Amino acid sequence: AQSVTQLDSQVPVFEEAPVELRCNYSSSVSVYLFWYVQYPNQGLQLLLKYLSGSTLVESINGFEAEFNKSQTSFHLRKPSVHISDTAEYFCAVSGGAGGTSYGKLTFGQGTILTVHP
Amino acid sequence: NAGVMQNPRHLVRRRGQEARLRCSPMKGHSHVYWYRQLPEEGLKFMVYLQKENIIDESGMPKERFSAEFPKEGPSILRIQQVVRGDSAAYFCASSPPTSYEQYFGPGTRLTVT
């Protein structure tokens, strides 16, 4: 079975400050990792993903995440946040090829990022 | 290319009624997933379907809930005899064959009164 833990339920920061949203997972098989963002009353948007290759992945709006297999982590970072980054962020894991969890996503509880002016 | 479509966006039902939620995947996507987001909880997987097949329904409640993805038309999540505990946001996601990326619809917010 897979599980995802997002260590912080809420993260308040000031505009232009750096931020890190933490995510740890557990799985007995290789995994694929994702970060999704959800704005109020909207669906989830894929922010970035790790499938294979470079352990550092980046999004087009300045977020990055690093897959750390030894620590089973996939923390999300941004060096300078904007007011518009205020949203809820979900870390998710999917089973790798051949795994029994292929297909479905297992989500963490979510982290609400609030950026203050 | 239109995104994943879900309708209705908001649905109000009285206890004991039936709720039907529809999901049209993105063009070219043959895999559909349903997730439920309860208040104060994260998203929970419910069911994974391909055209005319249920691949994984391990997250579906044993009673009152069913899902289908027919050869033609949208995927349907059906909840019979709704109860207040069914009030939640229901999200549909789709993916193309052999892809791990899922694209989500805007959700249907079900309120049971």
Side-chain angles (χ1 to χ4, degrees), chain A residues 60-77:
Chain A
I60 59 173
N61 57 354
F63 283 94
E64 64 178 32
E66 186 162 18
F67 169 54
N68 188 318
K69 188 175 182 179
S70 63
Q71 297 187 3
T72 60
S73 68
F74 191 54
H75 300 331
L76 181 70
R77 303 183 182 96

Side-chain angles (χ1 to χ4, degrees), chain A residues 100 104, chain B residues 45-48 54-62:
Chain A
T100 56
K104 69 181 182 184
Chain B
F45 167 80
M46 300 182 74
V47 63
Y48 165 30
I54 297 175
I55 306 303
D56 181 353
E57 57 181 347
S58 58
M60 287 280 270
K62 300 299 182 190

